[in-house]
Amino acid sequence: METLFLFVVVISLTLWLARRSARNSDDVARLTYERQQLERRVTLLEQEVLVLKAGPSHPTEAEQPSPVAPTASVTFAMPPPLPMEQKAATAPVEPSTRRPAGGIAQEVDPAEPVVPERTRSVPALLHPAPKPPFNWEQFVGVKLFAWLGGLALFFAAALGLRYSFDHDLVPPEVRAAGGFLLGAGLLIGGVLLKRRRYAVTSQTLCATGVVILYAVTFACRAFYHFGFFGPVPTFLLMVLITATAFVLAVRLDAQVVAVLGMLGGFLTPVLLSTGEDNPLGLFGYVALLDLGLLAVAQRKRWDHLASLAALGTVAMQVGWFAKFFEPEKIFIAQGVFLGFPLLFLGVFFRAEKRGWMNGHITAASALLSLVALALSFDFALGGTLGLLPGRTFTIAFGADLVLLAMVALRPRLRVLESIGGAALFLLLACWTLGRLTGGLLYWGLGLYLAFAVLHTVFPLVLKKLRPDETPSAGLWTQFIPAAALLLAMLPIVRELTVPWLFWVVVLAVDLLAVVMASVAGALLGLLAVLVFTVAATAVWLAQSTAQAVDLSESVVVIGGFALFFFAASAFVWKKMLPSCVARGIGLEPGPGATPAFPSDLRPLIPALSAVLPFLLLIMVVAQFKPADPSAVFGLAALLLTLLLGLAKVTRIDALVAVGAGSAWLFQAAWLRTSLDPQRAVVPLVWFIGFYAVLSAFPFVFQRDYRSRHLPWAVAALSGPSQFALVYWLVRTAFPNSVMGLLPAVFAVPALLGLYRLLKTLPADAPHRLAQLAWSGGVALFFITLIFPVQFDKQWITLAWALEGAGLCWLFHRVPHPGLRLVGLGLLLTAFARLALNPAVLSYHARAGTPVMNWYLYAYATVAVSLFAAARLLAPPRHVVYGTNVPPVLQTLGTVLTFLLVNIEIADYFSTGAALTFEFSGSFARDMTYTIAWALFAFLLLLVGIQRRARLVRYGGLGLLGVALLKLFLHDLANLNQLYRIGAFATVAVIAIGASFLYQRFLASSVGGDEPAAPDESL
């Protein structure tokens, strides 16, 4: 069955080669035909030159021929005549003869008019003869049968030898001698037939003879073990046969000789195999065969021979690996799977230098390395070789180096760099997850570092050495260090204890990323390395038990990498060219190339350098819960200080906000997880220290930050944020009855900062209003916060109302829009808490003097704050987002006042501990409600009339109407006679008074168009 399969394969390959040869023959015939046509054209052009140089004849009028009808003509653009043509032009031209393209002189009739050659129609030149059809009969009868006959003769010889081997019919010496005589005879016969012009048969006999000589020589060495056929004589004899075969192929100009010789050469070890392993003889023979094929391919430009040689070599390698490979033969495998890629790399180098480069050479050279990489997966993941990485990965790294060498010789093949790097990364990842043990961890770290160095440094060196020829690298190139860090994380994921060398490797990879960023602008790669470094540290901390990590060790690791990335941020910011940064990715693109990431990514590096270490510190406090936070707080303070310094150097104001937010999250995490009330003094000092640093930062560098507002906003907001932490700590560890002093203490620095700004900021400073607004707003916040901190419940509402009114007052002095927006928000919140929150009525039990209670000062204070804010926001400060704000505030204040009136009435008539609203059962209470509503409506009418505010009057009329309805529909039936009289009398007086007011002040405008008051429309 194996022989049948090989026969079918060989027949198919032979047919394909025959068809290709036939096409080549057709191409040669077509080119010959075109060459003949071009020669005809040149001959015609030479004749025209001779006619023009001889000059036209001038016959007399009687001798002039009759006019000839014009005909279609073709005019040729004449090139300058050659020197030899100039000599030929001096010879006299016979007027009676013409010499056409065939070169035969023709007689010219004297009576026929002479038409110049340059105006003569040349249809044969414009319409060449059609291409002759392919002659299948000639191809099959002459070429195909000859080739198949030679192939059949080879199989007959090979199978006959095999049969004689199996049955021992002929002595080995006779077999060998007969084989050599047959092969030599075929060669001689083929050469002799060549001289008699039987080219096809000659080529077939020569190819068959070469194949038989290969087979006999191999059998004498590998099977018979003749004494003469030692390593050196056999090698020399095979060199002679190979040289003879390819010399004949070149001399006979026959690809079929080379192809069949190659085919027979690769099939010889398969057909005559005895099942014994002899890798040195086998692959030495294959290497010799490859060299011969490649030499012929270069000489005759039969480029496909290179691809066929590579395919044959791969087939021999895979066959040997499948049948004979064992782990003990790894060194032989290294020679086999690295020697041939190096052999073809040498051919690739020679082709590049000699101008012979083509796709077949490139594919053949790359194929051997890719096969070696593919087989490396079997070496690394199967059997015991996975535990010998020094031997296993030699093949993988060697094949990858061959691919990189090809890219170095021909930079346009950058895809090979990507393929090799991806394959090597995948191999390392699979080996780490499947075969890595604690004893091999040092090997793994070394391999990860070697991978990172190889594929990070290579593009930089290539770009440096060949800047004009090297295209831009792919986006993946800058992520090689990050990929190496991902590989380094895998041992931790597998819960292997990593040594200190692990962090040395991580640091080395980080340095590679920094170098690549500074040289090639690979900012995305540096950001990825930063994230992966933090991720590796986070995984290491998450497995602190398995890794035997303590608090001090984790602080050292986090601090070291934080300092490293801060230094890297400063280095990249200062040293990297802006033009390189603007590209945002990989290596420098070629002329006209559009960068994939044109934005400046530099601010992200210091920002992430600050945020990510703080996240690691949060993990540390969550993992170890240190009661004494000096170590972690000291590192956090150092990180914050470095970040503020970097913000000043780089002038990236956002870094100040990033640092403040990160520090606050870290402090809050510690306070949530690790606070010990018995040891709260040290963290309290640290909290205050963070507040001092953040609030003082813009003041220390006031000259630099005079024209910017974000640092001042961060400094101001650090007060409320740090106050929340301090308040929580003090309330937990030091409970007391004077907590209101705490916001008072925090208000002092805010007031001092406001005072300093007022004294030092010029009146024309760009952001003067913003800086004053932030400082003044925070100072006012702490002042109003004293009440809700010292007290509770309604005091929070009072604080918000007073804060809102105070911010509106500050906006009146410092017209910054943010003050007005925050103030209005606080006022609306205070109104909602009193008007829309039913729980407010149960804050306190009823006690004390009626009317003079907390309802009075709470509702009244908020209402007064609303009215005051409405007055402070008078025109031209009255419009917010297209809304006239003062009428809204006045309406809300009026609503609160009306609610206060009803609450006080209910409180006066309530009897229990809770406030109750009832409108029946008490004559005095019902009468009081009716009279109060009427009086409130009358006041609204007075205000509306006085201010000529139609909406206010409408509100008063509506409320008065409700009071009258209650009087007639409810009070008339439920009140006794005395209260009924009082209610009716009072409401009647109020109604009559309202009518009088309308008649007295609004008689001319009632029912007409009243001019709108300045503040009545919403």
Side-chain angles (χ1 to χ4, degrees):
M1 292 298 294
E2 294 179 358
T3 304
L4 179 60
F5 174 73
L6 290 173
F7 181 77
V8 172
V9 172
V10 171
I11 290 297
S12 302
L13 183 60
T14 303
L15 291 175
W16 176 79
L17 292 174
R19 176 59 180 162
R20 183 178 181 88
S21 177
R23 289 181 179 176
N24 292 338
S25 300
D26 294 340
D27 293 340
V28 171
R30 179 178 53 81
L31 292 174
T32 303
Y33 177 77
E34 292 178 356
R35 178 177 59 80
Q36 294 174 354
Q37 296 297 320
L38 290 175
E39 290 177 353
R40 290 184 60 207
R41 293 188 184 188
V42 171
T43 303
L44 289 176
L45 292 175
E46 290 177 351
Q47 291 179 357
E48 287 194 17
V49 171
L50 294 176
V51 171
L52 291 176
K53 288 186 176 294
S57 59
H58 302 280
T60 61
E61 295 182 0
E63 297 175 345
Q64 288 182 353
S66 59
V68 180
T71 60
S73 63
V74 178
T75 303
F76 296 97
M78 300 301 298
L82 298 175
M84 61 185 305
E85 294 175 348
Q86 294 176 358
K87 295 180 180 179
T90 59
V93 180
E94 296 291 339
S96 60
T97 63
R98 295 176 185 169
R99 189 172 300 276
I104 301 175
Q106 299 178 354
E107 296 294 332
V108 180
D109 187 359
E112 179 184 356
V114 178
V115 181
E117 293 282 345
R118 58 187 176 89
T119 61
R120 186 177 297 170
S121 176
V122 195
L125 297 180
L126 297 180
H127 303 285
K131 180 180 177 181
F134 178 74
N135 193 334
W136 279 99
E137 180 180 2
Q138 183 182 11
F139 166 72
V140 174
V142 178
K143 299 181 180 180
L144 181 59
F145 283 169
W147 295 339
L148 293 179
L151 184 63
L153 181 60
F154 163 71
F155 271 99
L159 294 176
L161 287 175
R162 180 63 178 268
Y163 183 80
S164 66
F165 297 162
D166 295 338
H167 296 82
D168 198 18
L169 298 179
V170 181
E173 294 80 2
V174 177
R175 303 173 196 168
F180 279 117
L181 290 176
L182 178 60
L186 291 174
L187 287 179
I188 294 172
V191 173
L192 293 178
L193 286 177
K194 170 66 175 175
R195 297 177 181 177
R196 298 184 180 182
R197 301 183 182 278
Y198 297 103
V200 176
T201 307
S202 171
Q203 296 171 6
T204 304
L205 294 179
C206 290
T208 307
V210 169
V211 171
I212 291 175
L213 290 176
Y214 272 133
V216 175
T217 304
F218 186 79
C220 291
R221 168 62 183 167
F223 303 111
Y224 296 133
H225 305 289
F226 291 148
F228 172 77
F229 288 89
V232 176
T234 303
F235 176 77
L236 294 177
L237 183 58
M238 295 184 73
V239 168
L240 178 61
I241 296 172
T242 303
T244 302
F246 294 132
V247 167
L248 288 176
V250 173
R251 296 295 299 271
L252 299 177
D253 196 21
Q255 297 187 46
V256 67
V257 175
V259 172
L260 289 179
M262 178 208 70
L263 184 62
F266 281 115
L267 286 176
T268 296
V270 178
L271 295 176
L272 302 180
S273 175
T274 60
E276 296 180 2
D277 185 21
N278 185 12
L280 182 60
L282 174 63
F283 289 107
Y285 163 77
V286 172
L288 189 63
L289 187 60
D290 287 340
L291 288 174
L293 283 169
L294 293 171
V296 174
Q298 180 184 4
R299 175 66 181 272
K300 301 298 293 183
R301 291 300 190 267
W302 297 337
D303 300 329
H304 59 277
L305 291 181
S307 300
L308 294 176
L311 290 173
T313 304
V314 168
M316 301 302 294
Q317 288 178 323
V318 174
W320 175 84
F321 174 79
K323 188 171 183 179
F324 296 109
F325 177 74
E326 296 176 354
E328 295 77 12
K329 298 179 181 180
I330 184 62
F331 294 108
I332 298 175
Q334 292 176 358
V336 170
F337 294 106
L338 289 181
F340 284 97
L342 291 175
L343 172 64
F344 277 80
L345 177 63
V347 176
F348 185 87
F349 175 77
R350 180 181 177 84
E352 179 68 21
K353 296 303 181 182
R354 296 294 182 89
W356 177 42
M357 184 58 64
N358 55 75
H360 291 280
I361 296 296
T362 302
S365 302
L367 178 62
L368 274 299
S369 297
L370 295 177
V371 170
L373 278 172
L375 292 177
S376 296
F377 282 85
D378 188 274
F379 296 145
L381 305 179
T384 60
L385 286 178
L387 303 177
L388 300 172
R391 303 177 185 180
T392 301
F393 283 94
T394 300
I395 298 176
F397 275 90
D400 188 40
L401 283 171
V402 171
L403 292 177
L404 294 180
M406 293 178 62
V407 176
L409 292 172
R410 200 171 182 83
R412 286 178 291 179
L413 301 175
R414 293 301 293 268
V415 65
L416 295 180
E417 177 190 358
S418 305
I419 294 174
L424 193 56
F425 170 80
L426 184 60
L427 176 62
L428 288 170
C430 294
W431 176 77
T432 302
L433 293 174
R435 307 292 291 170
L436 182 64
T437 62
L440 297 177
L441 189 56
Y442 288 100
W443 270 105
L445 295 176
L447 292 173
Y448 306 151
L449 183 59
F451 165 75
V453 171
L454 183 62
H455 281 274
T456 302
V457 174
F458 174 77
L460 303 180
V461 175
L462 182 63
K463 187 66 179 179
K464 183 71 174 178
L465 296 179
R466 308 181 74 170
D468 298 333
E469 303 178 24
T470 304
S472 58
L475 180 62
W476 71 272
T477 304
Q478 59 182 305
F479 292 109
I480 290 296
L485 289 181
L486 179 60
L487 292 173
M489 277 195 294
L490 296 180
I492 306 178
V493 173
R494 293 191 57 198
E495 299 185 358
L496 298 177
T497 303
V498 295
W500 271 100
L501 183 62
F502 171 81
W503 299 111
V504 176
V505 172
V506 173
L507 182 61
V509 174
D510 292 343
L511 282 172
L512 287 175
V514 173
V515 171
M516 195 169 189
S518 60
V519 174
L523 289 183
L524 283 179
L526 183 57
L527 292 174
V529 163
L530 173 59
V531 173
F532 275 79
T533 301
V534 174
T537 310
V539 174
W540 178 68
L541 289 174
Q543 297 186 2
S544 57
T545 303
Q547 302 296 333
V549 183
D550 57 12
L551 178 63
S552 59
E553 186 178 5
S554 62
V555 170
V556 170
V557 171
I558 296 172
F561 280 105
L563 293 176
F564 170 80
F565 279 107
F566 270 114
S569 302
F571 175 77
V572 170
W573 184 268
K574 288 293 184 181
K575 299 298 182 182
M576 191 164 54
L577 295 176
S579 60
C580 189
V581 174
R583 285 188 289 275
I585 64 163
L587 301 178
E588 182 178 358
T594 302
F597 294 91
S599 60
D600 191 348
L601 301 176
R602 288 180 294 176
L604 288 177
I605 299 176
L608 288 179
S609 300
V611 173
L612 297 180
F614 276 110
L615 295 179
L616 293 177
L617 287 179
I618 292 174
M619 287 189 62
V620 169
V621 299
Q623 191 80 12
F624 298 102
K625 298 179 175 56
D628 184 2
S630 298
V632 290
F633 273 59
L635 178 57
L638 177 62
L639 294 177
L640 179 61
T641 303
L642 290 174
L643 186 60
L644 294 177
L646 192 62
K648 180 182 181 302
V649 172
T650 60
R651 299 182 65 84
I652 303 176
D653 295 342
L655 295 181
V656 181
V658 170
S662 301
W664 189 89
L665 288 175
F666 162 70
Q667 296 172 83
W670 178 89
L671 194 61
R672 177 85 177 182
T673 60
S674 310
L675 176 61
D676 182 3
Q678 304 299 324
R679 307 173 65 179
V681 176
V682 173
L684 178 61
V685 174
W686 280 108
F687 288 166
I688 297 175
F690 277 106
Y691 171 52
V693 171
L694 290 171
S695 60
F697 174 69
F699 289 96
V700 174
F701 303 101
Q702 186 173 0
R703 181 177 300 176
D704 297 327
Y705 290 107
R706 180 174 297 174
S707 61
R708 284 127 73 182
H709 70 278
L710 183 58
W712 298 99
V714 174
L717 292 176
S718 65
S721 61
Q722 290 297 121
F723 171 81
L725 300 175
V726 173
Y727 175 78
W728 189 1
L729 186 146
V730 172
R731 189 183 63 179
T732 304
F734 310 105
N736 59 84
S737 60
V738 288
M739 291 295 292
L741 293 177
L742 193 59
V745 171
F746 270 80
V748 173
L751 290 172
L752 292 176
L754 179 62
Y755 176 77
R756 177 176 175 81
L757 289 176
L758 289 171
K759 291 296 185 180
T760 57
L761 280 179
D764 58 347
H767 297 284
R768 182 176 184 273
L769 292 179
Q771 297 171 16
L772 292 176
W774 281 111
S775 297
V778 169
L780 190 58
F781 168 79
F782 282 122
I783 293 174
T784 55
L785 195 61
I786 296 174
F787 297 97
V789 169
Q790 183 63 41
F791 307 99
D792 59 356
K793 298 179 180 178
Q794 74 273 12
W795 294 106
I796 299 176
T797 306
L798 290 176
W800 288 349
L802 294 174
E803 173 80 6
L807 289 175
C808 292
W809 170 83
L810 187 60
F811 174 74
H812 194 75
R813 304 297 184 203
V814 181
H816 188 279
L819 294 174
R820 180 175 57 185
L821 287 177
V822 176
L824 292 175
L826 291 172
L827 288 169
L828 292 176
T829 304
F831 169 81
R833 281 178 61 88
L834 293 180
L836 306 177
N837 179 26
V840 72
L841 301 178
S842 59
Y843 278 171
H844 303 283
R846 293 184 63 255
T849 306
V851 180
M852 305 300 296
N853 48 30
W854 73 271
Y855 298 113
L856 180 62
Y857 68 77
Y859 280 82
T861 302
V862 176
V864 170
S865 299
L866 290 167
F867 289 129
R871 185 172 184 83
L872 291 169
L873 297 181
R877 293 173 290 273
H878 61 295
V879 178
V880 178
Y881 294 116
T883 301
N884 190 14
V885 173
V888 176
L889 296 177
Q890 293 168 353
T891 301
L892 298 180
T894 303
V895 171
L896 283 183
T897 305
F898 181 72
L899 291 176
L900 175 61
V901 171
N902 288 272
I903 289 173
E904 292 295 355
I905 295 173
D907 178 69
Y908 184 85
F909 288 98
S910 296
T911 57
L915 184 69
T916 57
F917 288 90
E918 295 181 357
F919 297 95
S920 62
S922 175
F923 300 137
R925 182 176 54 199
D926 291 347
M927 181 192 68
T928 305
Y929 275 124
T930 304
I931 295 174
W933 291 0
L935 287 174
F936 200 90
F938 187 74
L939 291 176
L940 288 178
L941 289 174
L942 287 176
V943 173
I945 292 173
Q946 189 270 332
R947 302 193 61 181
R948 303 184 66 81
R950 182 184 294 130
L951 293 180
V952 178
R953 297 198 306 270
Y954 290 170
L957 291 175
L959 184 57
L960 184 58
V962 172
L964 291 172
L965 288 175
K966 181 178 181 297
L967 179 65
F968 286 100
L969 298 179
H970 179 271
D971 297 346
L972 184 61
N974 294 289
L975 296 180
N976 63 16
Q977 187 175 3
L978 183 59
Y979 289 108
R980 188 184 305 157
I981 294 172
F984 270 87
T986 306
V987 173
V989 171
I990 294 172
I992 294 172
S995 174
F996 172 77
L997 292 175
Y998 264 87
Q999 295 178 57
R1000 174 66 178 82
F1001 297 103
L1002 297 175
S1004 60
S1005 61
V1006 172
D1009 294 331
E1010 180 183 359
D1015 58 346
E1016 73 165 339
S1017 63
L1018 295 180

